Amino acid sequence: MSETLNGPTDKTTDDAARPAEAAARKAVYVKSYGCQMNVYDSQRMADVMGAEGYREVASPEEADLILLNTCHIREKAAEKVYSELGRMRVIKDAARADGRQVLIGVAGCVAQAEGEEIVRRARTVDLVVGPQSYHRLPDLVARAAARPGVVDTEFPVEDKFRHLPDAAEAATRARGLSAFVTVQEGCDKFCTFCVVPYTRGAEVSRPVAQVLDDVEKLARAGVREVSLLGQNVNAYHGEGPDGLDWDLPRLLRRLVEVPGIARLRYTTSHPREMTDALIAAHRDLPELMPYLHLPVQSGSTRVLAAMNRKHSREDYFRIIDRVRAARPDIALSSDFIVGFPGETDADFEDTMDLIRRVGFAAAYSFKYSPRPGTPAAGEEDQLPETLKTERLHALQALITEQQRAFQDSLVGRVMDVLFEKPGRKPGQMVGRSPYLSPVQVIAPSSVAGTIVSVRITGTQTNSLNGVLADAPHMNAVQAAE
Ligand code: SAH
Ligand code: SF4
Ligand code: F3S
């Protein structure tokens, strides 16, 4: 997914109970930028350092090791790192004045893209580590402690997942009902605007047995909802237990059999990989949530070709029709880029038309940002910033309208809600709809961790209100509010 899910990973430790012991241990702070893949990787980095005795902390001031897990997708995202490094440097210098060594590491996609350049530009950085090297972090940290300026941006041949601690460990710490599992990483698609194939490398899928093992452990730790992650998750082709390549639909059909797993999602998908088998999985598997993030980027076939997306606007319409025929209650979201080099008014109008025709429940939209080393950045017909801004505003206004229409369309519908925790108001519990929106319901606290049928009664800006569908007395409480 895109950048809306930024922010540090959940930090729950049991250190409060043992303050003296905790203080003696070294501490790591990880801040995550960019996509879900980074959020997941941040947890893995905290885990790998945890195995070395580090505890994870929620503020950089408490840390002996500060890791910034960066994103390179747009210029703004990449530049954020340098301003953040300025802040971290102040913390590091203050610690040094106290006689304490703090190491600063840059991980993630900026690390991969810029490598040595980071150490040159920001001398406060002790360590640069690319996404494929996280399993080597303890060794790199030890080296950086002795001699700052360590850079590891290799794409090693060994499988990093085999060398990282269990994903289930993180889930037990987070005590959540939902978890992410990376099943595929990297991308071979080379869209002309995108850095991912360069920062994450070629497409690699994890073997089915590994994914299954993670999901089974997560389920035993109480997880009910698993989102499978990949830069191109529907291109998944992992080695199955039968020695054959399994595709995503086959993997999904296996994962729904895991006891305790009630909901599955996957993100992010490419339209080119929406196969008949995957669409059939949406028809056949009630556990597969009726929400599909399917980035299209542009509604103009001409621009799509220039982007190297390898499909037309008509192809996209056909896919959407088939998906909706298979799963009529499915909601769609997408990513859009406005102001791609050479995008005309007519091209942009095609994008607006595509949005009107499809009707999205949500979308992320971005101004085209030229990225070093990508083909589109070298195009001559770059658009002025003002025009990009204008188009972005128009597109976002349309999406906001559609988002509201979608939320409103849910009122009166009965849907399953996975309840998580108490809400803000007394007696209220909060859960998630199949469409990812939080739902507030007056309900007993015993619903936590269960899926209950809820009738949606109203909408708020980013959430829904509902009443338990099977308990009329509860409805009365809600009505009396
Ligand atoms: N693999 C996914 C997207 C990964 S990047 C896919 O194929 O759709 C997430 C989103 O960032 C993209 O969908 C795109 O909308 C946006 N993005 C990527 N590169 C960009 C760039 N150079 N400028 C602006 N937006 C970009
Ligand atoms: Fe980037 Fe395109 Fe790959 Fe998505 S499919 S990660 S946009 S190159
Ligand atoms: Fe950003 Fe890298 Fe993800 S560039 S969007 S963090 S794959």
Side-chain angles (χ1 to χ4, degrees):
M1 280 276 283
S2 311
E3 293 203 327
T4 45
L5 293 151
N6 283 355
T9 49
D10 266 353
K11 280 152 188 105
T12 18
T13 66
D14 54 0
D15 286 336
R18 296 174 275 117
E21 195 181 316
R25 284 164 65 195
K26 287 206 166 179
V28 57
Y29 167 78
V30 192
K31 181 159 183 176
S32 210
Y33 300 84
C35 62
Q36 273 306 328
M37 188 76 74
N38 263 10
V39 175
Y40 178 88
D41 283 348
S42 291
Q43 273 176 13
R44 297 287 81 72
M45 282 193 274
D47 292 345
V48 94
M49 293 316 294
E52 299 293 308
Y54 279 70
R55 68 200 163 96
E56 194 183 358
V57 288
S59 77
E61 285 82 3
E62 299 170 64
D64 304 283
L65 173 64
I66 294 173
L67 294 171
L68 302 183
N69 194 9
T70 62
C71 173
H72 200 248
I73 202 84
R74 285 168 291 276
E75 193 182 351
K76 262 194 198 151
E79 284 304 312
K80 250 187 229 164
V81 181
Y82 289 99
S83 56
E84 189 70 4
L85 280 173
R87 277 195 289 278
M88 297 304 155
R89 186 182 158 180
V90 175
I91 295 171
K92 178 176 173 167
D93 290 348
R96 189 188 295 129
D98 278 350
R100 192 164 64 87
Q101 186 190 33
V102 170
L103 295 179
I104 297 183
V106 174
C109 292
V110 177
Q112 190 63 45
E114 296 187 1
E116 303 262 352
E117 181 60 28
I118 299 173
V119 183
R120 270 197 292 277
R121 196 171 151 188
R123 298 214 160 266
T124 191
V125 173
D126 302 291
L127 167 69
V128 174
V129 54
Q132 302 308 324
S133 305
Y134 297 154
H135 56 293
R136 288 204 291 259
L137 203 53
D139 173 46
L140 299 171
V141 168
R143 277 166 50 201
R147 195 154 179 269
V150 173
V151 177
D152 185 345
T153 53
E154 295 293 300
F155 282 113
V157 281
E158 81 257 28
D159 170 4
K160 72 168 177 183
F161 291 105
R162 283 195 195 282
H163 299 274
L164 287 170
D166 262 331
E169 205 179 295
T172 325
R173 275 192 302 122
R175 296 182 191 92
L177 295 172
S178 299
F180 293 95
V181 173
T182 295
V183 300
Q184 178 275 337
E185 209 178 337
C187 181
D188 296 335
K189 296 254 184 317
F190 291 93
C191 301
T192 55
F193 53 82
C194 186
V195 292
V196 171
Y198 311 99
T199 62
R200 293 280 172 166
E203 219 167 274
V204 180
S205 295
R206 296 176 67 196
V208 172
Q210 259 188 45
V211 175
L212 191 58
D213 188 50
D214 272 6
V215 172
E216 281 170 348
K217 283 181 178 148
L218 288 167
R220 283 200 291 275
V223 166
R224 296 287 159 264
E225 178 175 76
V226 169
S227 299
L228 305 180
L229 293 181
Q231 262 96 18
N232 249 300
V233 71
N234 54 349
Y236 176 84
H237 56 97
E239 188 192 337
D242 49 7
L244 300 173
D245 257 12
W246 283 31
D247 58 9
L248 184 66
R250 188 140 185 221
L251 178 69
L252 290 165
R253 285 175 192 274
R254 177 65 189 86
L255 294 180
V256 298
E257 290 171 13
V258 174
I261 295 302
R263 289 179 162 189
L264 287 175
R265 305 177 185 276
Y266 61 89
T267 197
T268 296
S269 321
H270 194 290
R272 293 262 305 166
E273 316 280 352
M274 285 310 296
T275 57
D276 288 342
L278 184 53
I279 293 172
H282 279 281
R283 181 194 61 209
D284 299 340
L285 304 177
E287 296 87 350
L288 189 52
M289 289 295 97
Y291 190 94
L292 177 64
H293 183 65
L294 194 62
V296 64
Q297 317 297 356
S298 169
S300 154
T301 295
R302 205 186 62 80
V303 173
L304 287 169
M307 287 177 162
N308 193 32
R309 296 288 291 181
K310 297 198 176 84
H311 68 80
S312 65
R313 68 187 255 119
E314 285 71 28
D315 292 332
Y316 193 77
F317 289 138
R318 270 192 291 274
I319 294 164
I320 299 301
D321 287 347
R322 277 158 55 220
V323 169
R324 282 191 165 141
R327 187 75 210 237
D329 62 343
I330 203 155
L332 298 155
S333 68
S334 197
D335 292 349
F336 295 93
I337 295 178
V338 300
F340 185 79
E343 185 190 68
T344 63
D345 283 341
D347 291 323
F348 178 64
E349 193 37 54
D350 276 353
T351 301
M352 295 292 273
D353 177 70
L354 177 141
I355 297 172
R356 281 186 213 106
R357 281 225 232 163
V358 173
F360 291 97
Y364 304 104
S365 46
F366 314 98
K367 286 191 268 189
Y368 168 71
S369 169
R371 307 306 294 128
T374 59
E379 294 289 330
E380 276 174 13
D381 41 3
Q382 302 288 331
L383 266 52
E385 211 49 31
T386 45
L387 185 57
K388 291 188 202 171
T389 307
E390 209 176 282
R391 287 182 183 168
L392 186 70
H393 287 163
L395 188 148
Q396 288 182 338
L398 178 56
I399 292 292
T400 306
E401 221 174 87
Q402 294 199 338
Q403 216 162 347
R404 257 187 235 127
F406 173 72
Q407 295 277 89
D408 290 346
S409 77
L410 300 179
V411 176
R413 271 185 58 187
V414 174
M415 61 186 67
D416 283 347
V417 171
L418 172 58
F419 280 98
E420 284 163 8
K421 55 186 182 204
R424 264 190 233 121
K425 289 193 195 154
Q428 218 177 37
M429 293 295 286
V430 183
R432 293 235 170 225
S433 79
Y435 306 113
L436 288 170
S437 30
V439 189
Q440 288 131 11
V441 182
I442 299 288
S445 56
S446 57
V447 296
T450 67
I451 293 177
V452 182
S453 213
V454 166
R455 181 179 303 281
I456 304 302
T457 54
T459 63
Q460 296 186 21
T461 324
N462 292 313
S463 64
L464 301 168
N465 289 332
V467 293
L468 294 180
D470 303 328
H473 62 284
M474 289 290 171
N475 298 5
V477 176
Q478 175 92 358
E481 259 198 317

